[in-house]
Amino acid sequence: MNFFKKSLAVLGICLFTNNTYAQDSVLKVVTEPSFAPFEFMDQTTTELVGFDIDIIKAIAKVEDLKISIASMPFDGQIPAILSGNADIAISGFTITKERAKLVNFSEPYYDAGLGALVSKKYKDSIKSLKDLEGKSLCTQIGTSGAMFADKIKDATSTQFNTAAESFMELNKGSCIAAVNDKPVLEYYLATSKNDALFLLSDRFTFEQYGIVTSKKNKELTDKISHGLKVIKENGTYDKIYAKWFK
């Protein structure tokens, strides 16, 4: 999902930040809770829930890591890792070469890809990615979807703070299509039962999500990757996947 431009001043801060941790310390996990079904706020309990939340809790359990989970805007999470204000970020982060220059990623934990929700008013004229050329698009700031939309020929991309805001603008007619991760689009359609929109059948890209940690803390990166391997082998991952996607 997301990238951003960060000043050299912030990068300078990270050079002097100690990101090591004691085994009994509480690690701060940050996430952006408007990316259902990966992370979102349960309206009844006001708790953070979702696929990513269950995954990081399961990894923490098998690796004996103490964690606290906090909300943070998506485009602020990697800067928080760089500055030492967060230890782990899990928020549907697509593993990219650009991000990997700044932070460490765990082994991939989810295969995804980009797609588009389109107003049904355009069902006869928009049937593929090429048909989005020259159109007005809604995206989420800092995401791989936003970066992809910027490259669609002659298209106009307007970025919003959250996926939910981009869907709201699509429903208002501010744009013709919303570009984001396809599982998020599918979940939105399934839960909102919005029959004014349809999902393009095209998957624009193949992406993998990774859990973000500091380059100064390879030990933590390795622990998370090992924990992910364990929960995949013992069946926990499959149970979590079935809970949110089946």
Side-chain angles (χ1 to χ4, degrees):
M1 230 190 98
N2 153 36
F3 195 63
F4 58 90
K5 294 181 179 178
K6 196 61 190 170
S7 69
L8 290 176
V10 171
L11 293 177
I13 289 172
C14 78
L15 294 177
F16 299 96
T17 301
N18 182 0
N19 288 98
T20 58
Y21 70 99
Q23 182 63 34
D24 60 350
S25 64
V26 178
L27 299 171
K28 183 177 180 180
V29 179
V30 290
T31 191
E32 200 275 292
S34 65
F35 200 60
F38 294 95
E39 43 269 326
F40 60 102
M41 191 76 71
D42 186 297
Q43 296 302 311
T44 302
T45 66
T46 69
E47 293 181 352
L48 288 171
V49 296
F51 179 77
D52 284 357
I53 306 302
D54 286 351
I55 289 293
I56 197 62
K57 285 181 177 179
I59 290 172
K61 183 177 180 180
V62 299
E63 291 297 321
D64 196 26
L65 300 173
K66 297 177 182 178
I67 62 172
S68 66
I69 304 175
S71 300
M72 181 177 287
F74 188 75
D75 58 345
Q77 291 178 37
I78 289 181
I81 296 290
L82 294 176
S83 64
N85 290 321
D87 301 292
I88 300 167
I90 183 166
S91 211
F93 275 100
T94 301
I95 300 171
T96 68
K97 291 180 180 179
E98 291 83 1
R99 290 175 182 155
K101 292 176 183 177
L102 299 175
V103 295
N104 281 343
F105 280 102
S106 68
E107 290 297 311
Y109 71 92
Y110 188 84
D111 293 339
L114 297 174
L117 279 180
V118 184
S119 170
K120 278 191 176 175
K121 291 187 293 185
Y122 303 96
K123 195 170 182 68
D124 293 334
S125 59
I126 298 179
K127 299 181 179 180
S128 68
L129 171 60
K130 185 169 179 56
D131 295 328
L132 293 180
E133 293 179 359
K135 303 299 191 296
S136 58
L137 308 174
C138 291
T139 60
Q140 181 181 356
I141 189 169
T143 63
S144 54
M147 291 187 288
F148 184 87
D150 283 340
K151 296 176 183 177
I152 296 176
K153 184 179 178 181
D154 298 327
T156 302
S157 174
T158 303
Q159 299 184 15
F160 299 91
N161 287 329
T162 67
E165 287 180 27
S166 70
F167 300 153
M168 187 184 304
E169 292 300 317
L170 175 60
N171 285 316
K172 287 165 56 177
S174 301
C175 56
I176 289 173
V179 178
N180 211 312
D181 294 54
K182 203 164 185 180
V184 174
L185 303 179
E186 291 170 339
Y187 187 84
Y188 171 75
L189 275 186
T191 55
S192 69
K193 303 188 186 306
N194 188 335
D195 58 5
L197 306 175
F198 73 98
L199 182 67
L200 283 187
S201 58
D202 286 8
R203 184 168 78 166
F204 304 157
T205 61
F206 174 78
E207 300 178 348
Q208 292 182 305
Y209 293 166
I211 301 168
V212 178
T213 52
S214 170
K215 281 189 174 293
K216 289 180 172 288
N217 202 342
K218 186 175 183 299
E219 179 186 358
L220 179 57
T221 309
D222 291 343
K223 276 183 172 291
I224 290 172
S225 289
H226 180 263
L228 178 61
K229 180 181 178 182
V230 170
I231 66 171
K232 284 184 174 180
E233 290 176 347
N234 68 15
T236 301
Y237 180 96
D238 289 340
K239 290 178 181 177
I240 295 172
Y241 185 92
K243 174 181 175 182
W244 294 107
F245 296 106
K246 292 183 179 180

PDB file of all heavy atoms in Angstrom, residues 6-16 82-83:
ATOM      1  N   LYS A   6       9.922  12.069   2.406  1.00  0.00           N
ATOM      2  CA  LYS A   6      10.258  12.482   3.760  1.00  0.00           C
ATOM      3  C   LYS A   6      11.519  13.312   3.726  1.00  0.00           C
ATOM      4  O   LYS A   6      12.430  13.020   2.960  1.00  0.00           O
ATOM      5  CB  LYS A   6      10.473  11.248   4.648  1.00  0.00           C
ATOM      6  CG  LYS A   6      10.438  11.603   6.127  1.00  0.00           C
ATOM      7  CD  LYS A   6       9.109  12.179   6.513  1.00  0.00           C
ATOM      8  CE  LYS A   6       9.148  12.748   7.903  1.00  0.00           C
ATOM      9  NZ  LYS A   6       7.963  13.507   8.217  1.00  0.00           N
ATOM     10  N   SER A   7      11.593  14.321   4.561  1.00  0.00           N
ATOM     11  CA  SER A   7      12.718  15.240   4.549  1.00  0.00           C
ATOM     12  C   SER A   7      13.968  14.592   5.099  1.00  0.00           C
ATOM     13  O   SER A   7      13.925  13.649   5.878  1.00  0.00           O
ATOM     14  CB  SER A   7      12.389  16.476   5.384  1.00  0.00           C
ATOM     15  OG  SER A   7      12.332  16.128   6.748  1.00  0.00           O
ATOM     16  N   LEU A   8      15.110  15.144   4.708  1.00  0.00           N
ATOM     17  CA  LEU A   8      16.388  14.651   5.201  1.00  0.00           C
ATOM     18  C   LEU A   8      16.498  14.847   6.705  1.00  0.00           C
ATOM     19  O   LEU A   8      17.211  14.118   7.377  1.00  0.00           O
ATOM     20  CB  LEU A   8      17.531  15.386   4.496  1.00  0.00           C
ATOM     21  CG  LEU A   8      17.705  15.041   3.014  1.00  0.00           C
ATOM     22  CD1 LEU A   8      18.805  15.911   2.411  1.00  0.00           C
ATOM     23  CD2 LEU A   8      18.028  13.570   2.831  1.00  0.00           C
ATOM     24  N   ALA A   9      15.775  15.841   7.230  1.00  0.00           N
ATOM     25  CA  ALA A   9      15.818  16.076   8.671  1.00  0.00           C
ATOM     26  C   ALA A   9      15.321  14.871   9.435  1.00  0.00           C
ATOM     27  O   ALA A   9      15.905  14.457  10.431  1.00  0.00           O
ATOM     28  CB  ALA A   9      14.985  17.292   9.032  1.00  0.00           C
ATOM     29  N   VAL A  10      14.228  14.270   8.972  1.00  0.00           N
ATOM     30  CA  VAL A  10      13.677  13.085   9.635  1.00  0.00           C
ATOM     31  C   VAL A  10      14.621  11.909   9.495  1.00  0.00           C
ATOM     32  O   VAL A  10      14.854  11.147  10.426  1.00  0.00           O
ATOM     33  CB  VAL A  10      12.292  12.734   9.071  1.00  0.00           C
ATOM     34  CG1 VAL A  10      11.828  11.393   9.608  1.00  0.00           C
ATOM     35  CG2 VAL A  10      11.291  13.808   9.459  1.00  0.00           C
ATOM     36  N   LEU A  11      15.192  11.772   8.291  1.00  0.00           N
ATOM     37  CA  LEU A  11      16.141  10.681   8.077  1.00  0.00           C
ATOM     38  C   LEU A  11      17.348  10.852   8.980  1.00  0.00           C
ATOM     39  O   LEU A  11      17.926   9.888   9.470  1.00  0.00           O
ATOM     40  CB  LEU A  11      16.571  10.642   6.610  1.00  0.00           C
ATOM     41  CG  LEU A  11      15.477  10.254   5.627  1.00  0.00           C
ATOM     42  CD1 LEU A  11      16.020  10.315   4.197  1.00  0.00           C
ATOM     43  CD2 LEU A  11      14.950   8.879   5.919  1.00  0.00           C
ATOM     44  N   GLY A  12      17.731  12.109   9.226  1.00  0.00           N
ATOM     45  CA  GLY A  12      18.843  12.377  10.122  1.00  0.00           C
ATOM     46  C   GLY A  12      18.531  11.947  11.530  1.00  0.00           C
ATOM     47  O   GLY A  12      19.381  11.403  12.227  1.00  0.00           O
ATOM     48  N   ILE A  13      17.300  12.170  11.965  1.00  0.00           N
ATOM     49  CA  ILE A  13      16.900  11.771  13.309  1.00  0.00           C
ATOM     50  C   ILE A  13      17.064  10.276  13.502  1.00  0.00           C
ATOM     51  O   ILE A  13      17.547   9.803  14.520  1.00  0.00           O
ATOM     52  CB  ILE A  13      15.441  12.176  13.580  1.00  0.00           C
ATOM     53  CG1 ILE A  13      15.356  13.694  13.712  1.00  0.00           C
ATOM     54  CG2 ILE A  13      14.909  11.521  14.854  1.00  0.00           C
ATOM     55  CD1 ILE A  13      13.931  14.209  13.787  1.00  0.00           C
ATOM     56  N   CYS A  14      16.681   9.514  12.456  1.00  0.00           N
ATOM     57  CA  CYS A  14      16.689   8.054  12.613  1.00  0.00           C
ATOM     58  C   CYS A  14      18.102   7.512  12.770  1.00  0.00           C
ATOM     59  O   CYS A  14      18.298   6.451  13.345  1.00  0.00           O
ATOM     60  CB  CYS A  14      15.980   7.377  11.435  1.00  0.00           C
ATOM     61  SG  CYS A  14      16.952   7.274   9.946  1.00  0.00           S
ATOM     62  N   LEU A  15      19.109   8.248  12.291  1.00  0.00           N
ATOM     63  CA  LEU A  15      20.481   7.782  12.392  1.00  0.00           C
ATOM     64  C   LEU A  15      20.943   7.745  13.846  1.00  0.00           C
ATOM     65  O   LEU A  15      21.838   7.000  14.208  1.00  0.00           O
ATOM     66  CB  LEU A  15      21.405   8.691  11.574  1.00  0.00           C
ATOM     67  CG  LEU A  15      21.185   8.675  10.062  1.00  0.00           C
ATOM     68  CD1 LEU A  15      22.121   9.682   9.399  1.00  0.00           C
ATOM     69  CD2 LEU A  15      21.406   7.292   9.501  1.00  0.00           C
ATOM     70  N   PHE A  16      20.305   8.589  14.691  1.00  0.00           N
ATOM     71  CA  PHE A  16      20.728   8.678  16.076  1.00  0.00           C
ATOM     72  C   PHE A  16      19.753   8.020  17.031  1.00  0.00           C
ATOM     73  O   PHE A  16      19.875   8.144  18.239  1.00  0.00           O
ATOM     74  CB  PHE A  16      20.903  10.160  16.448  1.00  0.00           C
ATOM     75  CG  PHE A  16      21.948  10.850  15.616  1.00  0.00           C
ATOM     76  CD1 PHE A  16      21.575  11.586  14.496  1.00  0.00           C
ATOM     77  CD2 PHE A  16      23.282  10.737  15.922  1.00  0.00           C
ATOM     78  CE1 PHE A  16      22.526  12.209  13.712  1.00  0.00           C
ATOM     79  CE2 PHE A  16      24.232  11.363  15.141  1.00  0.00           C
ATOM     80  CZ  PHE A  16      23.864  12.104  14.043  1.00  0.00           C
ATOM     81  N   LEU A  82      11.078   5.255  11.550  1.00  0.00           N
ATOM     82  CA  LEU A  82      12.391   5.871  11.346  1.00  0.00           C
ATOM     83  C   LEU A  82      12.840   6.688  12.553  1.00  0.00           C
ATOM     84  O   LEU A  82      14.023   6.708  12.899  1.00  0.00           O
ATOM     85  CB  LEU A  82      12.361   6.770  10.105  1.00  0.00           C
ATOM     86  CG  LEU A  82      12.161   6.087   8.746  1.00  0.00           C
ATOM     87  CD1 LEU A  82      12.067   7.127   7.639  1.00  0.00           C
ATOM     88  CD2 LEU A  82      13.269   5.100   8.459  1.00  0.00           C
ATOM     89  N   SER A  83      11.898   7.358  13.185  1.00  0.00           N
ATOM     90  CA  SER A  83      12.241   8.225  14.313  1.00  0.00           C
ATOM     91  C   SER A  83      12.271   7.488  15.645  1.00  0.00           C
ATOM     92  O   SER A  83      12.639   8.069  16.666  1.00  0.00           O
ATOM     93  CB  SER A  83      11.246   9.386  14.400  1.00  0.00           C
ATOM     94  OG  SER A  83       9.941   8.909  14.685  1.00  0.00           O
TER      95      SER A  83
END
